[in-house]
Amino acid sequence: MDNKTIEIDKVVHVAPAGRRPLERIEAVGLGLLILAMLTLFFYPATLSGAFDTVLNKVKPVVVDVFLTGQVGVAVIISVIIGRLLERLGFTDAMMRVFMPAMRAIGINPAVIIPSVYNIFGDINAAGRISGPLLRQAGATKDEQKIAVATMVQSQQSFSTFMLGMMALTFAGVNVFAVVLIAIFGPLLLSPLLLSRLVYRNVRSVDLLAAPRFTPNIDFAPMLFKAAREG
């Protein structure tokens, strides 16, 4: 039975001759372990001093400016507002407006899903959700490229959108016009121009069962989850 794998009660035991060789990263880890133990034995204050130095360098920027400063608070609040609007059906309402517009353009309506979902600046979730939906809807390679090109034009964080509106308001700029031209305008113009000039392999289809994006969780868990995410 030497050099054979023996399975007893679903626990795999390998004979010593069958052990895998030491990998390079494991050798690096062993070296760090030996170095750390020697440092603790001969110079115990070195590691704590290095940690204290890093802490003093990081805290003024990460904690004072970002986490507990206006930037961090703005991010947290923006995520809460975005998730609240999503819970109230805002995303599905926009889908009802823009998906028929894609059919009128002559393109797969699923193309607009990533862009509309990214209105709240959650580009990671937009990619995870929209990728499978585009495949299920039968979007061509050109339509997938149009979807990505349209999505990345939106802001990467809803806090950017909120802070931008604040700045525009303080400057006396017409916020409605800016949002209409800079946010919603590209959702129509980008698919239209790209499908006519660059990515022409497009086709209009009817989605028999459009996905629903409004979560059905209770408001209190949704708010705490949004705050944690922010």
PDB file of all heavy atoms in Angstrom, residues 50-69:
ATOM      1  N   ALA A  50       7.366  49.543  13.696  1.00  0.00           N
ATOM      2  CA  ALA A  50       6.982  49.655  12.288  1.00  0.00           C
ATOM      3  C   ALA A  50       5.468  49.778  12.141  1.00  0.00           C
ATOM      4  O   ALA A  50       4.975  50.587  11.343  1.00  0.00           O
ATOM      5  CB  ALA A  50       7.490  48.435  11.513  1.00  0.00           C
ATOM      6  N   PHE A  51       4.738  49.000  12.935  1.00  0.00           N
ATOM      7  CA  PHE A  51       3.277  49.089  12.888  1.00  0.00           C
ATOM      8  C   PHE A  51       2.801  50.463  13.325  1.00  0.00           C
ATOM      9  O   PHE A  51       1.895  51.048  12.724  1.00  0.00           O
ATOM     10  CB  PHE A  51       2.669  48.004  13.779  1.00  0.00           C
ATOM     11  CG  PHE A  51       1.164  48.032  13.813  1.00  0.00           C
ATOM     12  CD1 PHE A  51       0.421  47.500  12.772  1.00  0.00           C
ATOM     13  CD2 PHE A  51       0.495  48.617  14.878  1.00  0.00           C
ATOM     14  CE1 PHE A  51      -0.965  47.535  12.801  1.00  0.00           C
ATOM     15  CE2 PHE A  51      -0.885  48.660  14.907  1.00  0.00           C
ATOM     16  CZ  PHE A  51      -1.620  48.116  13.867  1.00  0.00           C
ATOM     17  N   ASP A  52       3.412  51.006  14.368  1.00  0.00           N
ATOM     18  CA  ASP A  52       3.026  52.324  14.855  1.00  0.00           C
ATOM     19  C   ASP A  52       3.316  53.402  13.811  1.00  0.00           C
ATOM     20  O   ASP A  52       2.535  54.337  13.628  1.00  0.00           O
ATOM     21  CB  ASP A  52       3.764  52.625  16.158  1.00  0.00           C
ATOM     22  CG  ASP A  52       3.332  53.949  16.768  1.00  0.00           C
ATOM     23  OD1 ASP A  52       2.144  54.081  17.138  1.00  0.00           O
ATOM     24  OD2 ASP A  52       4.177  54.858  16.864  1.00  0.00           O
ATOM     25  N   THR A  53       4.430  53.267  13.096  1.00  0.00           N
ATOM     26  CA  THR A  53       4.764  54.233  12.053  1.00  0.00           C
ATOM     27  C   THR A  53       3.747  54.210  10.923  1.00  0.00           C
ATOM     28  O   THR A  53       3.288  55.259  10.454  1.00  0.00           O
ATOM     29  CB  THR A  53       6.169  53.937  11.500  1.00  0.00           C
ATOM     30  OG1 THR A  53       7.121  53.998  12.559  1.00  0.00           O
ATOM     31  CG2 THR A  53       6.542  54.937  10.415  1.00  0.00           C
ATOM     32  N   VAL A  54       3.382  53.006  10.487  1.00  0.00           N
ATOM     33  CA  VAL A  54       2.386  52.882   9.425  1.00  0.00           C
ATOM     34  C   VAL A  54       1.045  53.439   9.884  1.00  0.00           C
ATOM     35  O   VAL A  54       0.338  54.122   9.131  1.00  0.00           O
ATOM     36  CB  VAL A  54       2.250  51.408   8.994  1.00  0.00           C
ATOM     37  CG1 VAL A  54       1.102  51.235   8.013  1.00  0.00           C
ATOM     38  CG2 VAL A  54       3.555  50.912   8.386  1.00  0.00           C
ATOM     39  N   LEU A  55       0.678  53.160  11.128  1.00  0.00           N
ATOM     40  CA  LEU A  55      -0.600  53.654  11.660  1.00  0.00           C
ATOM     41  C   LEU A  55      -0.643  55.175  11.659  1.00  0.00           C
ATOM     42  O   LEU A  55      -1.647  55.783  11.261  1.00  0.00           O
ATOM     43  CB  LEU A  55      -0.795  53.115  13.084  1.00  0.00           C
ATOM     44  CG  LEU A  55      -2.076  53.563  13.815  1.00  0.00           C
ATOM     45  CD1 LEU A  55      -3.309  53.075  13.077  1.00  0.00           C
ATOM     46  CD2 LEU A  55      -2.069  53.044  15.248  1.00  0.00           C
ATOM     47  N   ASN A  56       0.443  55.811  12.090  1.00  0.00           N
ATOM     48  CA  ASN A  56       0.482  57.278  12.127  1.00  0.00           C
ATOM     49  C   ASN A  56       0.455  57.889  10.734  1.00  0.00           C
ATOM     50  O   ASN A  56      -0.040  59.002  10.555  1.00  0.00           O
ATOM     51  CB  ASN A  56       1.733  57.738  12.878  1.00  0.00           C
ATOM     52  CG  ASN A  56       1.676  57.394  14.358  1.00  0.00           C
ATOM     53  OD1 ASN A  56       0.596  57.308  14.947  1.00  0.00           O
ATOM     54  ND2 ASN A  56       2.830  57.170  14.963  1.00  0.00           N
ATOM     55  N   LYS A  57       0.986  57.163   9.747  1.00  0.00           N
ATOM     56  CA  LYS A  57       0.972  57.678   8.380  1.00  0.00           C
ATOM     57  C   LYS A  57      -0.398  57.515   7.729  1.00  0.00           C
ATOM     58  O   LYS A  57      -0.841  58.370   6.955  1.00  0.00           O
ATOM     59  CB  LYS A  57       2.026  56.937   7.541  1.00  0.00           C
ATOM     60  CG  LYS A  57       3.472  57.251   7.906  1.00  0.00           C
ATOM     61  CD  LYS A  57       3.864  58.661   7.496  1.00  0.00           C
ATOM     62  CE  LYS A  57       5.342  58.908   7.757  1.00  0.00           C
ATOM     63  NZ  LYS A  57       5.749  60.284   7.349  1.00  0.00           N
ATOM     64  N   VAL A  58      -1.076  56.412   8.039  1.00  0.00           N
ATOM     65  CA  VAL A  58      -2.326  56.086   7.361  1.00  0.00           C
ATOM     66  C   VAL A  58      -3.530  56.795   7.981  1.00  0.00           C
ATOM     67  O   VAL A  58      -4.435  57.248   7.276  1.00  0.00           O
ATOM     68  CB  VAL A  58      -2.545  54.556   7.364  1.00  0.00           C
ATOM     69  CG1 VAL A  58      -3.932  54.199   6.854  1.00  0.00           C
ATOM     70  CG2 VAL A  58      -1.476  53.881   6.518  1.00  0.00           C
ATOM     71  N   LYS A  59      -3.561  56.912   9.305  1.00  0.00           N
ATOM     72  CA  LYS A  59      -4.737  57.438   9.998  1.00  0.00           C
ATOM     73  C   LYS A  59      -5.166  58.821   9.505  1.00  0.00           C
ATOM     74  O   LYS A  59      -6.360  59.039   9.257  1.00  0.00           O
ATOM     75  CB  LYS A  59      -4.490  57.475  11.503  1.00  0.00           C
ATOM     76  CG  LYS A  59      -5.676  58.011  12.306  1.00  0.00           C
ATOM     77  CD  LYS A  59      -5.377  58.033  13.780  1.00  0.00           C
ATOM     78  CE  LYS A  59      -6.548  58.628  14.572  1.00  0.00           C
ATOM     79  NZ  LYS A  59      -6.807  60.032  14.172  1.00  0.00           N
ATOM     80  N   PRO A  60      -4.261  59.800   9.361  1.00  0.00           N
ATOM     81  CA  PRO A  60      -4.733  61.128   8.923  1.00  0.00           C
ATOM     82  C   PRO A  60      -5.422  61.119   7.571  1.00  0.00           C
ATOM     83  O   PRO A  60      -6.310  61.942   7.322  1.00  0.00           O
ATOM     84  CB  PRO A  60      -3.436  61.956   8.887  1.00  0.00           C
ATOM     85  CG  PRO A  60      -2.501  61.256   9.800  1.00  0.00           C
ATOM     86  CD  PRO A  60      -2.819  59.807   9.657  1.00  0.00           C
ATOM     87  N   VAL A  61      -5.027  60.203   6.681  1.00  0.00           N
ATOM     88  CA  VAL A  61      -5.615  60.174   5.346  1.00  0.00           C
ATOM     89  C   VAL A  61      -6.849  59.279   5.305  1.00  0.00           C
ATOM     90  O   VAL A  61      -7.929  59.700   4.871  1.00  0.00           O
ATOM     91  CB  VAL A  61      -4.574  59.691   4.310  1.00  0.00           C
ATOM     92  CG1 VAL A  61      -5.217  59.597   2.930  1.00  0.00           C
ATOM     93  CG2 VAL A  61      -3.385  60.628   4.284  1.00  0.00           C
ATOM     94  N   VAL A  62      -6.699  58.035   5.771  1.00  0.00           N
ATOM     95  CA  VAL A  62      -7.781  57.060   5.638  1.00  0.00           C
ATOM     96  C   VAL A  62      -8.932  57.362   6.592  1.00  0.00           C
ATOM     97  O   VAL A  62     -10.105  57.322   6.214  1.00  0.00           O
ATOM     98  CB  VAL A  62      -7.248  55.635   5.865  1.00  0.00           C
ATOM     99  CG1 VAL A  62      -8.381  54.623   5.837  1.00  0.00           C
ATOM    100  CG2 VAL A  62      -6.199  55.290   4.816  1.00  0.00           C
ATOM    101  N   VAL A  63      -8.616  57.650   7.848  1.00  0.00           N
ATOM    102  CA  VAL A  63      -9.653  57.833   8.862  1.00  0.00           C
ATOM    103  C   VAL A  63     -10.166  59.266   8.891  1.00  0.00           C
ATOM    104  O   VAL A  63     -11.361  59.521   8.720  1.00  0.00           O
ATOM    105  CB  VAL A  63      -9.127  57.420  10.256  1.00  0.00           C
ATOM    106  CG1 VAL A  63     -10.203  57.662  11.314  1.00  0.00           C
ATOM    107  CG2 VAL A  63      -8.703  55.964  10.248  1.00  0.00           C
ATOM    108  N   ASP A  64      -9.261  60.233   9.106  1.00  0.00           N
ATOM    109  CA  ASP A  64      -9.695  61.619   9.294  1.00  0.00           C
ATOM    110  C   ASP A  64     -10.288  62.229   8.025  1.00  0.00           C
ATOM    111  O   ASP A  64     -11.249  63.003   8.095  1.00  0.00           O
ATOM    112  CB  ASP A  64      -8.514  62.467   9.775  1.00  0.00           C
ATOM    113  CG  ASP A  64      -7.979  61.992  11.122  1.00  0.00           C
ATOM    114  OD1 ASP A  64      -8.743  61.319  11.847  1.00  0.00           O
ATOM    115  OD2 ASP A  64      -6.807  62.269  11.439  1.00  0.00           O
ATOM    116  N   VAL A  65      -9.710  61.895   6.858  1.00  0.00           N
ATOM    117  CA  VAL A  65     -10.184  62.495   5.616  1.00  0.00           C
ATOM    118  C   VAL A  65     -11.292  61.664   4.969  1.00  0.00           C
ATOM    119  O   VAL A  65     -12.303  62.194   4.538  1.00  0.00           O
ATOM    120  CB  VAL A  65      -9.009  62.675   4.626  1.00  0.00           C
ATOM    121  CG1 VAL A  65      -9.516  63.185   3.278  1.00  0.00           C
ATOM    122  CG2 VAL A  65      -7.985  63.645   5.201  1.00  0.00           C
ATOM    123  N   PHE A  66     -11.084  60.342   4.939  1.00  0.00           N
ATOM    124  CA  PHE A  66     -12.018  59.509   4.171  1.00  0.00           C
ATOM    125  C   PHE A  66     -13.116  58.907   5.024  1.00  0.00           C
ATOM    126  O   PHE A  66     -14.292  59.187   4.840  1.00  0.00           O
ATOM    127  CB  PHE A  66     -11.246  58.397   3.449  1.00  0.00           C
ATOM    128  CG  PHE A  66     -12.097  57.629   2.482  1.00  0.00           C
ATOM    129  CD1 PHE A  66     -12.378  58.140   1.225  1.00  0.00           C
ATOM    130  CD2 PHE A  66     -12.633  56.402   2.831  1.00  0.00           C
ATOM    131  CE1 PHE A  66     -13.176  57.437   0.337  1.00  0.00           C
ATOM    132  CE2 PHE A  66     -13.427  55.701   1.943  1.00  0.00           C
ATOM    133  CZ  PHE A  66     -13.694  56.212   0.700  1.00  0.00           C
ATOM    134  N   LEU A  67     -12.765  58.061   6.003  1.00  0.00           N
ATOM    135  CA  LEU A  67     -13.784  57.299   6.725  1.00  0.00           C
ATOM    136  C   LEU A  67     -14.718  58.198   7.519  1.00  0.00           C
ATOM    137  O   LEU A  67     -15.937  58.062   7.441  1.00  0.00           O
ATOM    138  CB  LEU A  67     -13.113  56.279   7.638  1.00  0.00           C
ATOM    139  CG  LEU A  67     -12.379  55.134   6.940  1.00  0.00           C
ATOM    140  CD1 LEU A  67     -11.785  54.191   7.960  1.00  0.00           C
ATOM    141  CD2 LEU A  67     -13.316  54.376   6.010  1.00  0.00           C
ATOM    142  N   THR A  68     -14.154  59.092   8.321  1.00  0.00           N
ATOM    143  CA  THR A  68     -14.989  59.963   9.149  1.00  0.00           C
ATOM    144  C   THR A  68     -15.076  61.372   8.606  1.00  0.00           C
ATOM    145  O   THR A  68     -15.690  62.241   9.245  1.00  0.00           O
ATOM    146  CB  THR A  68     -14.437  60.002  10.589  1.00  0.00           C
ATOM    147  OG1 THR A  68     -13.082  60.487  10.569  1.00  0.00           O
ATOM    148  CG2 THR A  68     -14.462  58.625  11.214  1.00  0.00           C
ATOM    149  N   GLY A  69     -14.471  61.643   7.461  1.00  0.00           N
ATOM    150  CA  GLY A  69     -14.554  62.961   6.849  1.00  0.00           C
ATOM    151  C   GLY A  69     -15.724  63.069   5.899  1.00  0.00           C
ATOM    152  O   GLY A  69     -16.557  62.164   5.773  1.00  0.00           O
TER     153      GLY A  69
END
